[in-house]
Amino acid sequence: MNPYALLETINDPVDLRNLPEEQLGELAKQLREFIIEIVATKEGHLGASLGVVELTIALHYIFNTPDDLLVWDVGHQAYGHKILTGRRDQFHTNRQLNGISGFPKRAESVFDTFGTGHSSTSISSALGMAMASNLQGEKDKQHIAVIGDASIASGMAFEALNHAGVSQANLLIILNDNAIGIDPSVGALKEYLTQVKVDRKLAKNNIIRALNFDYSGPIDGHNLPRLLKELTRLKKKKGPKFLHIITTKGKGLRQAEQDQVRYHAPGKFDKNSGELIPKPQGNLPPKYQDVFGHTIVELAEQNQKIVGITPAMPTGSSLKYMMDKFPERAFDVGIAEQHAVTLAAGMATQGFHVFCNVYSTFLQRAYDQLIHDVALQRIPVIFCLDRAGLVGQDGATHHGVFDLAFLRCIPNLIIFAPRNEIELRNIMYTAQLGLSNPIAIRYPRGRGKNLDWKKPFSKIIIGKGEQLTSGDKIAVISVGTISENVTEAINLLPHDEKIAHYDLRFLAPLDTELLHEIFKKHQVIITLEDGVLKGGMGSAISEFTTEHQYNSQKVISLGVPEQFIEHGTVEELQQIVGIDANSIAKQLERFL
Amino acid sequence: MNPYALLETINDPVDLRNLPEEQLGELAKQLREFIIEIVATKEGHLGASLGVVELTIALHYIFNTPDDLLVWDVGHQAYGHKILTGRRDQFHTNRQLNGISGFPKRAESVFDTFGTGHSSTSISSALGMAMASNLQGEKDKQHIAVIGDASIASGMAFEALNHAGVSQANLLIILNDNAIGIDPSVGALKEYLTQVKVDRKLAKNNIIRALNFDYSGPIDGHNLPRLLKELTRLKKKKGPKFLHIITTKGKGLRQAEQDQVRYHAPGKFDKNSGELIPKPQGNLPPKYQDVFGHTIVELAEQNQKIVGITPAMPTGSSLKYMMDKFPERAFDVGIAEQHAVTLAAGMATQGFHVFCNVYSTFLQRAYDQLIHDVALQRIPVIFCLDRAGLVGQDGATHHGVFDLAFLRCIPNLIIFAPRNEIELRNIMYTAQLGLSNPIAIRYPRGRGKNLDWKKPFSKIIIGKGEQLTSGDKIAVISVGTISENVTEAINLLPHDEKIAHYDLRFLAPLDTELLHEIFKKHQVIITLEDGVLKGGMGSAISEFTTEHQYNSQKVISLGVPEQFIEHGTVEELQQIVGIDANSIAKQLERFL
């Protein structure tokens, strides 16, 4: 018997709305199993989507999507939405090159009203749509933002609530309260919401009501009849409304409910038992995240002044190791990048060596704080920018490719990209010895190449690049771990005596001494980075070239061109932008 | 008789703490008059400092500054603090070149524990200091953040509250509630705080308490004995505390109390009567702000799809004209840049032409939203970036010099800088005709040069630069209003037949056709911008130069070097960085 018989009749929410209400329970069961089956083998974000199966069905059943406009905050939870809105048969291509995106995406479907990926944008965007509908006289249209309890605690969401509460917009905010983001939620609002759940009196006179919303709930978000009834009621109400639902992340898969952090994006697992399928481990080199996580613990054991801060990524960044070992000196501040950076600055003014670990793409959220609160005051905060460069399947919203460009224009800031695990360790060691300026250390997602990475620390001289191989014609200048691709490219070619390879290491301060040496010795200079070309490292070399009038050299810059790069494996994406070993080798060949 | 006899005995808060409490009223009177007297002739921010005279005295009297750490949010209100902490005799140099800064500044005084200028950073930074004290075992030390009701509604402040509420830190947040920022405060929180002021029952069970703070107030912030008593009580309390005080912006100067927006920074006025001293008006060219403000009204009269959004700067940006004329289509969303940008994106998805007016320096607060919510989705929001370039006396925290560099690396984004008022009008006209991409339009603070600026609209071709004058040896490429300085420089020189002047207009997309023409015709290319050199327009030209191997030309880039630029007049600062007419002329002379 086809386990998805009912699900397969739903090719559009219109089909869903033609079902009798009694069948929705069965549909929820099939949708949940379908998600589990596909994600078990194709990987992706599991727990969040399992938690909103009933909500997803209820929303599309009650509201007239896509005319009524629905925004999923972050978008980890939108798999069910994708499956019910015409993408069931493509769902197995989720997050693969040329497949569907792991996040809502406007270009993919009219049901994806707003692309997401970074958190806490849903209320602002849905409010904008609702205000637009008001202006267009579409007074009955509804606009729905589904947001989790971790995301609603972020400043941007508060700004939007503060505005929405005094608007006349037909905005329905649904708080999907499961007490967890990727890691467990933190903060005073979360504590408060926890109280609201058990104290009906508190629920009657709460923060959300204070902000002028028509608050209802909390209700059980897995109780379909209850959800349907409440949404039917809210659909007819004008103005800003707020529904608080309680769900369980990972609902319907025992292990996912029990270990919500691991099952957020568990990799491959057995769809029946839920057991994780162990990856071939063997003796693998470490993840950069773990190099960071173990090294900060090692340093913190010696240096009492070391503190660690992460905005909501303790597991992803591996700061959790320090949180376990030194809970009084390592802090998860929630999805609050702006606060994290200025908090770090405040602590650093009092003599602490603060490691602030933020994903490269999320540092975009704290750009002003980096300029205004840190660099301008020359406060030596140590930024560890995780997931720099192309990140792979998370795609366009998550690539850390802008950092070199947006950091380079900030005065006083040291910018370093370690070539390997050992350099990451050594720059962390160097930074906690005390710097006179803030530093940004960027490194990629995933594993390094060295099994023997736990070497004794040695100090790195700030602003000094390094020559890796020598050659008399072409010089390749790379920055960061993309260096490996150069090494590989050179190995692919004959005449490697003609190719020199330099690791710039520091984008700022620039090692102008080394650059002069490079330009004096070589006819062709090729720059390579896993970041955008405009304004990035190659751009810095172009500036150097024109400033010092190196007119006889040919300068070629390789990196991410002027476009947003979609999802795929890192290797696929590197090929697309031409920074994989083969592409580099081809460039080199032209001049051999 | 010396009207400041008592004030002049206070050279340090220690002197203040030696006064008997009965004398503090007199001190408040003298401090208020001193601020009025100096600001009346030297200009600066008036209203905010007048509103916290009593609070300033009370804080330094009760707390042991600088050991207890005090952070002033934004810093507009810190004049009294500066005067009481050893800077009375320098206060007349406020905001002048080489004088004291108009904002708290760490390099200036040990009492300025954290530099401010942009809003809503005080809670994060003070919490960081408080957590540091905890770690250092300084359990009695107090840490105080003074923040206004407009600033506390910004997302970053909420993030900090959310963290502080669950911390053990000795943090005292003082909400200086005067119902106004630069313009009147907006939003649901403000409405709520207004209710709290009149409803003592509400005060007992409010939002702040919900976030786990020991809340007290609201109390009259001009009642010194009441303030002293309450601060004495709070000084002894551990953990996070929140004091709500009610003050009047401009307190003590009738006109400043009555017209709080105008007297925020009123320019020169009569210290006795409070009357503003009219500036020589005559028939002056318009401010760029007013060109924007009047033009958007003119366009909105014809085009129903035009909407305007500003995060808390209706007066400064002149969007107030549209708010007056079309209140249903123009929105002040409060100090909420992140929300403003994504709200604009949401509205634009529904077919509206949304003008989002943000000061260049404040767009740094919404960098991620610009990349992730706007450019990635190619939503054609129209950004008007006010106060781009060097802004003058507001200094390092306010210069809009990073925008060209941080915008240039974002794919899909059109970047335009009008050369004059007419071009600003025409690009606004062009944008509301409908673009397929978002656009950033940057223009400076202050007046243009054209009296006859209200010309009929004409459409600008996207991506096309312009030749202004021709010459056969040197080409100057400028972008934006700094073009004037080039014209002036050329006029200072003989042999102007050798100097061509081009206005690039669009930093993106680059007019490569024009650039090829320029490079083919000239031996020397000088680029000029009022923004940072690293990554900016000159950098784009360097990239072009190396990419197309223009090896025989000399390329020189003029702009803001790699350092933060302090306060002074725009003219003074242009001289310092070498982009005034004389400096440009000197550069040109070298090649004539």
Side-chain angles (χ1 to χ4, degrees):
Chain A
M1 197 193 128
N2 179 355
Y4 305 123
L6 183 58
L7 181 63
E8 286 177 4
T9 67
I10 312 296
N11 297 309
D12 185 290
V14 170
D15 302 327
L16 171 66
R17 292 193 276 271
N18 284 333
L19 292 183
E21 200 176 309
E22 309 83 69
Q23 285 197 273
L24 299 184
E26 173 60 23
L27 182 67
K29 183 170 163 286
Q30 295 189 11
L31 179 56
R32 188 166 265 128
E33 279 171 15
F34 185 78
I35 293 171
I36 292 172
E37 170 159 354
I38 303 284
V39 177
T41 58
K42 301 292 180 174
E43 308 191 15
H45 292 97
L46 180 72
S49 285
L50 292 184
V52 295
V53 161
E54 288 79 12
L55 177 65
T56 305
I57 291 172
L59 284 169
H60 285 292
Y61 192 73
I62 300 297
F63 291 97
N64 189 30
T65 55
D67 288 342
D68 287 335
L69 299 165
L70 174 59
V71 184
W72 296 96
D73 205 272
V74 183
H76 286 147
Q77 78 286 55
Y79 290 179
H81 160 84
K82 293 206 172 200
I83 293 164
L84 294 178
T85 55
R87 285 166 279 180
R88 185 187 61 247
D89 294 343
Q90 292 82 54
F91 186 61
H92 68 96
T93 68
N94 186 29
R95 296 161 52 86
Q96 295 170 25
L97 187 67
N98 303 320
I100 64 170
S101 165
F103 298 97
K105 192 174 167 192
R106 279 168 59 80
E108 198 175 288
S109 167
V110 67
F111 290 94
D112 294 2
T113 60
F114 205 77
T116 47
H118 292 192
S119 94
S120 316
T121 66
S122 62
I123 306 177
S124 297
S125 53
L127 178 60
M129 296 170 194
M131 288 168 61
S133 296
N134 259 359
L135 285 175
Q136 283 168 322
E138 299 178 282
K139 304 286 188 187
D140 293 326
K141 198 161 177 163
Q142 284 292 355
H143 312 78
I144 305 127
V146 181
I147 184 166
D149 56 291
S151 299
I152 206 168
S154 182
M156 184 182 182
F158 176 80
E159 292 178 353
L161 284 173
N162 192 38
H163 182 197
V166 293
S167 79
Q168 312 295 316
N170 285 338
L171 176 69
L172 169 60
I173 299 169
I174 299 179
L175 173 62
N176 175 31
D177 187 354
N178 56 15
I180 190 165
I182 295 177
D183 286 286
S185 303
V186 297
L189 182 64
K190 183 250 176 176
E191 304 280 320
Y192 179 79
L193 291 172
T194 305
Q195 289 171 37
V196 166
K197 288 184 220 172
V198 294
D199 182 348
R200 308 298 300 190
K201 219 174 103 198
L202 201 57
K204 287 216 164 166
N205 180 21
N206 65 17
I207 289 186
I208 304 299
R209 283 225 170 84
L211 294 175
N212 210 30
F213 282 84
D214 176 344
Y215 170 95
S216 60
I219 67 173
D220 176 0
H222 300 301
N223 183 335
L224 248 176
R226 186 82 184 79
L227 271 182
L228 293 168
K229 194 174 155 205
E230 186 59 20
L231 291 177
T232 304
R233 185 183 76 81
L234 289 169
K235 187 182 179 179
K236 291 172 205 139
K237 284 219 157 198
K238 306 283 189 222
K241 298 162 290 286
F242 191 104
L243 172 61
H244 185 177
I245 71 170
I246 313 292
T247 65
T248 302
K249 190 166 177 175
K251 182 76 178 178
L253 187 70
R254 189 175 47 84
Q255 292 89 332
E257 291 186 35
Q258 287 171 350
D259 190 352
Q260 297 182 325
V261 172
R262 189 178 303 249
Y263 281 79
H264 169 70
K268 290 188 172 55
F269 60 93
D270 183 292
K271 68 174 176 173
N272 296 312
S273 73
E275 292 300 321
L276 297 179
I277 295 171
K279 287 188 183 163
Q281 287 288 337
N283 199 6
L284 290 178
K287 290 182 182 170
Y288 279 96
Q289 288 61 49
D290 287 342
V291 175
F292 164 80
H294 292 302
T295 302
I296 193 169
V297 169
E298 201 177 331
L299 292 168
E301 279 166 350
Q302 304 297 320
N303 185 340
Q304 302 295 319
K305 292 287 183 187
I306 289 179
V307 160
I309 293 176
T310 175
M313 295 292 158
T315 303
S317 71
S318 293
L319 187 67
K320 65 180 174 186
Y321 300 139
M322 184 170 174
M323 290 170 68
D324 290 344
K325 191 80 187 274
F326 300 107
E328 72 290 358
R329 287 198 277 150
F331 308 96
D332 172 9
V333 301
I335 305 178
E337 293 85 359
Q338 303 192 97
H339 168 61
V341 169
T342 304
L343 180 80
M347 295 191 89
T349 62
Q350 303 306 302
F352 281 86
H353 301 298
V354 187
F355 286 79
C356 184
N357 192 309
V358 189
Y359 290 5
S360 167
T361 187
F362 297 151
L363 185 63
Q364 295 165 188
R365 280 275 168 98
Y367 190 52
D368 185 56
Q369 288 73 15
L370 178 57
I371 296 174
H372 178 271
D373 298 334
V374 176
L376 171 55
Q377 305 191 90
R378 219 170 179 143
I379 298 174
V381 176
I382 303 155
F383 292 98
C384 291
L385 305 188
D386 194 344
R387 287 157 169 72
L390 295 163
V391 296
Q393 289 92 343
D394 276 336
T397 54
H398 280 63
H399 296 309
V401 292
F402 298 106
D403 54 2
L404 294 177
F406 72 66
L407 293 174
R408 190 167 74 84
C409 61
I410 304 175
N412 296 345
L413 182 67
I414 302 166
I415 308 168
F416 178 84
R419 184 172 70 247
N420 55 36
E421 302 93 315
I422 295 156
E423 292 242 302
L424 174 54
R425 274 172 66 76
N426 285 336
I427 196 72
M428 288 176 67
Y429 168 76
T430 305
Q432 58 86 48
L433 292 176
L435 295 172
S436 52
N437 283 44
I439 184 170
I441 304 164
R442 62 140 16 215
Y443 52 87
R445 180 176 196 153
R447 294 193 187 275
K449 301 275 181 193
N450 291 287
L451 289 171
D452 186 21
W453 57 278
K454 271 204 167 176
K455 307 257 192 198
F457 291 117
S458 79
K459 190 174 167 178
I460 287 179
I461 300 168
I462 300 298
K464 279 289 158 207
E466 212 172 320
Q467 177 162 11
L468 302 181
T469 66
S470 49
D472 54 16
K473 186 167 185 205
I474 310 172
V476 183
I477 306 174
S478 64
V479 67
T481 55
I482 197 78
S483 160
E484 294 158 15
N485 293 13
V486 181
T487 307
E488 216 181 298
I490 294 174
N491 288 339
L492 291 171
L493 295 169
H495 304 300
D496 59 2
E497 76 284 358
K498 290 186 182 297
I499 308 169
H501 182 194
Y502 294 85
D503 178 12
L504 189 61
R505 297 163 102 216
F506 290 90
L507 180 57
L510 267 188
D511 187 346
T512 51
E513 196 184 335
L514 182 67
L515 288 176
H516 282 299
E517 190 187 312
I518 294 171
F519 273 79
K520 278 171 188 154
K521 280 193 193 160
H522 304 90
Q523 296 158 256
V524 179
I525 320 287
I526 296 181
T527 71
L528 176 71
E529 64 202 299
D530 56 349
V532 293
L533 286 168
K534 285 205 163 185
M537 186 270 277
S539 173
I541 304 300
S542 284
E543 290 173 21
F544 178 88
T545 309
T546 54
E547 184 183 348
H548 297 285
Q549 295 178 65
Y550 282 109
N551 294 338
S552 58
Q553 293 81 350
K554 191 173 173 65
V555 178
I556 292 163
S557 293
L558 304 179
V560 176
E562 194 189 357
Q563 64 186 75
F564 285 97
I565 306 300
E566 298 297 346
H567 49 282
T569 65
V570 172
E571 294 69 27
E572 288 166 341
L573 301 181
Q574 286 188 352
Q575 282 171 31
I576 287 172
V577 303
I579 57 173
D580 63 307
N582 281 325
S583 303
I584 298 165
K586 271 185 201 147
Q587 290 284 350
L588 290 168
E589 251 177 345
R590 292 165 53 200
F591 305 102
L592 285 178
Chain B
M1 198 196 126
N2 180 354
Y4 305 122
L6 183 58
L7 181 63
E8 287 178 3
T9 67
I10 312 296
N11 296 309
D12 187 288
V14 170
D15 301 327
L16 171 66
R17 293 192 276 271
N18 284 331
L19 291 183
E21 200 177 310
E22 307 83 68
Q23 284 197 275
L24 299 184
E26 173 60 23
L27 182 67
K29 184 169 162 288
Q30 295 188 13
L31 178 57
R32 187 164 266 127
E33 280 171 14
F34 185 79
I35 292 171
I36 292 172
E37 171 159 355
I38 303 284
V39 177
T41 57
K42 301 291 181 174
E43 308 191 14
H45 291 98
L46 180 71
S49 284
L50 292 184
V52 295
V53 161
E54 288 79 11
L55 177 65
T56 305
I57 291 172
L59 284 169
H60 284 293
Y61 193 73
I62 300 297
F63 291 97
N64 189 30
T65 56
D67 288 341
D68 288 334
L69 298 166
L70 173 60
V71 183
W72 296 95
D73 204 273
V74 184
H76 285 147
Q77 79 286 54
Y79 290 0
H81 161 85
K82 293 207 173 200
I83 293 163
L84 294 179
T85 55
R87 285 166 281 182
R88 186 186 60 246
D89 295 343
Q90 292 83 54
F91 186 60
H92 68 96
T93 68
N94 186 30
R95 295 161 54 84
Q96 296 170 25
L97 186 66
N98 302 320
I100 64 170
S101 164
F103 298 96
K105 193 174 167 194
R106 281 167 58 81
E108 199 175 288
S109 166
V110 67
F111 290 93
D112 293 4
T113 59
F114 205 77
T116 48
H118 292 193
S119 95
S120 316
T121 65
S122 62
I123 306 176
S124 298
S125 53
L127 177 60
M129 296 170 196
M131 288 167 62
S133 295
N134 259 359
L135 285 175
Q136 283 167 322
E138 299 177 282
K139 303 286 186 188
D140 293 324
K141 199 162 177 165
Q142 285 292 354
H143 313 78
I144 306 129
V146 181
I147 185 166
D149 56 290
S151 299
I152 207 169
S154 183
M156 183 183 181
F158 177 79
E159 292 178 353
L161 284 172
N162 192 39
H163 183 196
V166 293
S167 79
Q168 312 295 317
N170 285 338
L171 176 69
L172 169 60
I173 298 170
I174 299 180
L175 173 61
N176 174 33
D177 187 354
N178 56 16
I180 189 165
I182 294 178
D183 286 285
S185 303
V186 297
L189 182 63
K190 183 250 177 175
E191 305 278 319
Y192 178 79
L193 291 173
T194 304
Q195 288 170 37
V196 166
K197 288 183 218 172
V198 295
D199 182 348
R200 307 297 301 191
K201 219 175 103 199
L202 202 58
K204 286 215 165 165
N205 180 22
N206 65 18
I207 289 186
I208 303 300
R209 282 225 171 84
L211 293 175
N212 211 30
F213 281 85
D214 176 346
Y215 171 94
S216 59
I219 67 172
D220 176 1
H222 300 302
N223 183 335
L224 249 175
R226 186 84 183 76
L227 272 181
L228 294 169
K229 196 174 153 202
E230 186 58 21
L231 292 177
T232 304
R233 186 184 75 82
L234 290 168
K235 186 183 179 178
K236 290 170 207 139
K237 285 218 156 198
K238 306 282 188 223
K241 299 161 290 284
F242 191 104
L243 172 62
H244 185 177
I245 71 169
I246 313 291
T247 64
T248 302
K249 190 167 177 177
K251 182 75 177 179
L253 188 69
R254 188 174 48 82
Q255 291 90 333
E257 291 186 33
Q258 286 171 351
D259 190 350
Q260 296 181 326
V261 173
R262 190 178 301 250
Y263 280 79
H264 170 71
K268 289 188 174 53
F269 61 92
D270 182 292
K271 69 175 176 173
N272 296 311
S273 72
E275 293 298 323
L276 297 180
I277 294 171
K279 284 189 184 161
Q281 286 289 338
N283 197 6
L284 290 178
K287 290 182 181 171
Y288 278 96
Q289 288 61 49
D290 288 342
V291 174
F292 164 80
H294 292 302
T295 302
I296 194 169
V297 169
E298 203 178 330
L299 293 167
E301 279 165 351
Q302 305 295 322
N303 186 339
Q304 302 295 319
K305 292 286 184 188
I306 289 178
V307 160
I309 293 175
T310 175
M313 295 290 159
T315 303
S317 72
S318 291
L319 187 68
K320 64 180 175 186
Y321 300 139
M322 182 168 175
M323 290 171 68
D324 289 343
K325 190 82 186 274
F326 300 107
E328 72 290 357
R329 288 197 278 149
F331 308 96
D332 172 9
V333 301
I335 304 178
E337 293 84 1
Q338 304 192 98
H339 168 61
V341 169
T342 304
L343 180 80
M347 295 191 89
T349 62
Q350 303 306 302
F352 281 86
H353 301 299
V354 187
F355 286 79
C356 184
N357 192 308
V358 190
Y359 291 4
S360 167
T361 187
F362 297 151
L363 185 63
Q364 294 164 190
R365 280 274 169 99
Y367 190 53
D368 185 56
Q369 288 73 15
L370 179 58
I371 295 175
H372 177 273
D373 298 334
V374 177
L376 171 56
Q377 306 192 87
R378 220 171 179 144
I379 297 175
V381 176
I382 303 154
F383 292 97
C384 291
L385 305 188
D386 193 345
R387 288 160 170 71
L390 295 163
V391 297
Q393 289 91 343
D394 276 337
T397 54
H398 280 63
H399 296 309
V401 294
F402 298 106
D403 53 4
L404 293 178
F406 72 66
L407 293 173
R408 191 166 75 82
C409 61
I410 304 175
N412 297 344
L413 182 67
I414 303 167
I415 308 168
F416 178 83
R419 186 172 67 248
N420 55 38
E421 302 93 315
I422 296 157
E423 293 242 301
L424 174 54
R425 273 170 68 76
N426 285 336
I427 196 72
M428 288 175 68
Y429 168 76
T430 305
Q432 58 87 50
L433 292 175
L435 295 173
S436 51
N437 284 44
I439 183 169
I441 304 164
R442 69 156 345 232
Y443 52 87
R445 180 176 195 154
R447 294 190 187 276
K449 300 277 182 191
N450 291 287
L451 288 171
D452 186 20
W453 58 279
K454 271 205 165 174
K455 307 258 193 200
F457 289 117
S458 79
K459 190 174 166 176
I460 287 179
I461 300 169
I462 300 298
K464 279 290 158 208
E466 213 172 319
Q467 177 162 12
L468 302 180
T469 65
S470 50
D472 54 15
K473 185 165 184 206
I474 310 172
V476 183
I477 306 174
S478 64
V479 67
T481 55
I482 197 79
S483 162
E484 294 158 15
N485 293 14
V486 181
T487 307
E488 216 181 298
I490 294 174
N491 288 339
L492 290 172
L493 295 169
H495 305 298
D496 57 4
E497 76 284 357
K498 291 187 181 299
I499 309 169
H501 181 193
Y502 294 84
D503 178 11
L504 189 62
R505 296 162 100 216
F506 290 89
L507 181 57
L510 266 188
D511 188 347
T512 51
E513 196 183 335
L514 182 67
L515 288 176
H516 282 298
E517 191 186 311
I518 294 170
F519 274 80
K520 278 170 187 153
K521 278 193 193 160
H522 304 89
Q523 296 158 255
V524 179
I525 319 287
I526 297 181
T527 70
L528 176 70
E529 65 201 298
D530 56 348
V532 293
L533 286 168
K534 285 205 165 184
M537 186 269 278
S539 173
I541 304 300
S542 284
E543 290 173 20
F544 178 88
T545 308
T546 53
E547 183 182 350
H548 298 285
Q549 297 179 63
Y550 283 109
N551 293 338
S552 59
Q553 293 82 351
K554 190 174 173 64
V555 177
I556 293 163
S557 293
L558 304 180
V560 176
E562 194 189 356
Q563 63 187 76
F564 286 97
I565 307 300
E566 299 297 346
H567 48 284
T569 65
V570 171
E571 295 69 27
E572 288 165 342
L573 301 181
Q574 286 189 351
Q575 283 171 33
I576 287 172
V577 303
I579 59 173
D580 62 308
N582 281 324
S583 302
I584 299 165
K586 271 186 202 148
Q587 290 283 350
L588 291 167
E589 252 177 345
R590 292 167 53 200
F591 304 103
L592 286 177

